[in-house]
Amino acid sequence: MRFAPSRPWLKCQYKGTQPSSHQRCFSAIVSPKTDEVKVDVGSSGPITLNINHPPRPSSSGKVLLYLPRGPLAQETVPEPSNLSSIALASNATVVRLNYRLSTTHPYPVPIHDVLAGYDWIIKHLVLRAAAHNAWQTPSRPVGLGVCGELIGGSLVAMLALTESHTTKVGIRAAAVNNPVTDWTAFFPTTNPHTTLAPDTSGNITTPQTTPKKRSQTNKPPLSPHSWTTFSTNPHLPASFLLRARSALFPNPETYFDHFASPLLFFRTPSSELPSRNTPISSEASSDASSQRDSDVSDTSLAENKQGSTPIRRSHRRHPPFGSGLRIPRMRVTVGAESVVKDQGIELAEGMRRSIGLYGGQSRDDRAGYFREVFRSSNDERIENAERSERIELVEREGVGLWSEEEDLIEVGTWFDSVLR
């Protein structure tokens, strides 16, 4: 069963920093230099891959895919541009995939770019490393990991949940930081009576509408949601995410898609799909980057009503029966003061729930449905430990964006430990 959209066959152009006539092109084992590759994505144009080869080439042939954060965070938190620190800490080939995302290249363009680049990496890096290792360690798969934050984290989650195959080469580990996993959950913050209870215990968050006046009750108040609590954080304000959604999605259907909002693999959307007659926005500018320099008033945000009504949500099963997928090792990090903190937490809990019920993989039988009935308390403790080990959840200080070399070294060290 194939989840990814159909992909065209790709063409590529290779540009190395130190070309050699006797070297094999694209070799992740022989060449320790930095390369640049252009990959054509059908008729929509090329994307660029920047390849950082490991400083100490080994027989493991590990490959990491890094996806940039996209046009979201303010320039006050610059994105690290040198990926050599990840390559050094993980001793892996690190590929930066420069997907396209702007008002001229809106969704689903970045999804197609990432899938096309991923196919190229599998063919030219991972499979070549696997062939090289076959005679040394035939039973040892090539370590393939992906990492990214914000929109890059969303695309990483999409890949990890749809390309972690059990019967062929697939993703074995993924690291996401402050991922934007549900574009349907963003509501104008001008309505103080609509709140969303955060999901911190594995239960699905249920939107609730608080009346203006309530009679006295013994029920405890709802915990504040990160979307409203940190909506004015200058590094990642809620107003900017709303403007980005209006600029980067041509219509509401595109952000209701599972590949754009990967949290929808585990539950239903947070709001109703707007009418097709409702325009997504009248404020989109010529380039998404220009959104950083302009403010949107609360009034204009409140007037954008599409998807602004929270609805009750329910669980979905992932991976589905017969898909041949298995949830890989995941490291989810969130900022303590990030507006998308709760989405990262809910993603981790959704994957843990899948592991607890179905082992985190597709099954051709229905044994997973009866696991809850027959397991003992000791089995439950073992399963909880397994879920916490396979799906790590870490909270970082402040907004928690990657900005220093130490942040990338931490990510690379984690990959080195889980892809052995």
Side-chain angles (χ1 to χ4, degrees):
M1 182 175 180
R2 189 175 181 84
F3 285 86
S6 60
R7 312 175 193 175
W9 290 105
L10 311 173
K11 298 179 180 179
C12 63
Q13 298 176 359
Y14 169 73
K15 184 185 297 183
T17 56
Q18 296 178 356
S20 175
S21 59
H22 65 275
Q23 259 184 352
R24 293 182 300 166
C25 289
F26 318 121
S27 173
I29 302 170
V30 177
S31 174
K33 60 184 182 298
T34 300
D35 300 326
E36 181 179 296
V37 176
K38 289 188 179 298
V39 178
D40 289 331
V41 185
S43 60
S44 65
I47 58 174
T48 302
L49 308 182
N50 303 116
I51 305 175
N52 296 265
H53 293 284
R56 306 178 305 277
S58 64
S59 60
S60 62
K62 291 179 292 186
V63 178
L64 302 182
L65 173 59
Y66 175 85
L67 301 179
R69 65 172 58 151
L72 276 191
Q74 305 286 38
E75 295 180 356
T76 54
V77 186
E79 181 177 14
S81 58
N82 187 2
L83 300 183
S84 60
S85 54
I86 295 185
L88 178 63
S90 62
N91 195 34
T93 299
V94 180
V95 182
R96 177 189 174 101
L97 194 158
N98 301 294
Y99 60 88
R100 297 164 295 176
L101 181 58
S102 66
T103 54
T104 56
H105 294 95
Y107 273 85
V109 170
I111 297 175
H112 297 161
D113 288 352
V114 168
L115 292 174
Y118 176 80
D119 282 348
W120 187 94
I121 291 170
I122 292 293
K123 180 179 179 181
H124 293 276
L125 296 179
V126 177
L127 292 182
R128 288 193 177 189
H132 178 84
N133 295 344
W135 65 276
Q136 292 180 334
T137 53
S139 61
R140 181 179 182 180
V142 174
L144 175 59
V146 289
C147 60
E149 64 179 349
L150 295 180
I151 292 180
S154 172
L155 295 169
V156 165
M158 175 270 294
L159 272 181
L161 295 175
T162 60
E163 296 292 342
S164 54
H165 302 283
T166 58
T167 58
K168 60 180 180 179
V169 175
I171 294 172
R172 292 178 53 199
V176 294
N177 182 46
N178 282 318
V180 182
T181 58
D182 184 11
W183 290 95
T184 73
F186 296 156
F187 308 100
T189 57
T190 54
N191 183 359
H193 309 299
T194 300
T195 59
L196 288 170
D199 180 14
T200 57
S201 61
N203 298 320
I204 288 297
T205 303
T206 302
Q208 303 186 24
T209 300
T210 306
K212 296 181 180 180
K213 295 182 180 181
R214 297 182 60 181
S215 58
Q216 292 184 352
T217 177
N218 294 326
K219 294 183 179 180
L222 292 173
S223 301
H225 193 274
S226 63
W227 175 251
T228 54
T229 304
F230 308 113
S231 62
T232 58
N233 189 307
H235 303 303
L236 192 63
S239 61
F240 188 72
L241 286 172
L242 285 168
R243 286 183 63 89
R245 184 177 69 176
S246 298
L248 302 177
F249 293 90
N251 52 64
E253 286 87 349
T254 51
Y255 64 79
F256 273 76
D257 182 78
H258 294 51
F259 282 75
S261 299
L263 194 53
L264 303 187
F265 282 112
F266 297 103
R267 63 157 171 78
T268 54
S270 300
S271 59
E272 294 180 351
L273 180 65
S275 170
R276 291 180 178 271
N277 298 325
T278 303
I280 188 170
S281 175
S282 60
E283 300 175 325
S285 61
S286 59
D287 195 307
S289 62
S290 65
Q291 306 293 333
R292 296 177 180 158
D293 303 323
S294 58
D295 294 327
V296 182
S297 65
D298 289 339
T299 302
S300 63
L301 288 176
E303 292 173 352
N304 186 11
K305 294 295 184 181
Q306 74 271 5
S308 59
T309 304
I311 59 175
R312 183 175 296 276
R313 297 175 289 191
S314 58
H315 290 294
R316 285 172 170 166
R317 172 182 176 143
H318 187 82
F321 288 114
S323 64
L325 297 174
R326 182 178 188 269
I327 294 178
R329 289 286 298 270
M330 290 280 290
R331 186 175 194 263
V332 181
T333 54
V334 296
E337 300 175 4
S338 171
V339 73
V340 292
K341 171 184 175 181
D342 291 342
Q343 292 199 8
I345 295 176
E346 191 174 358
L347 175 66
E349 294 300 338
M351 292 185 290
R352 287 176 176 176
R353 180 178 181 274
S354 176
I355 293 173
L357 292 177
Y358 321 113
Q361 59 187 332
S362 64
R363 292 174 179 267
D364 294 328
D365 56 30
R366 298 183 179 269
Y369 285 112
F370 302 100
R371 182 176 301 184
E372 290 285 328
V373 177
F374 295 106
R375 68 178 180 178
S376 64
S377 59
N378 185 57
D379 293 334
E380 184 175 0
R381 287 192 295 269
I382 295 176
E383 290 176 3
N384 289 335
E386 178 188 1
R387 282 179 281 186
S388 298
E389 179 182 4
R390 283 181 56 182
I391 310 298
E392 299 181 26
L393 181 59
V394 181
E395 184 176 286
R396 296 165 54 88
E397 294 182 356
V399 71
L401 295 176
W402 293 336
S403 59
E404 304 293 339
E405 182 180 5
E406 289 75 11
D407 299 330
L408 300 185
I409 292 177
E410 181 181 352
V411 174
T413 302
W414 180 80
F415 276 115
D416 184 53
S417 65
V418 300
L419 293 179
R420 294 184 181 276

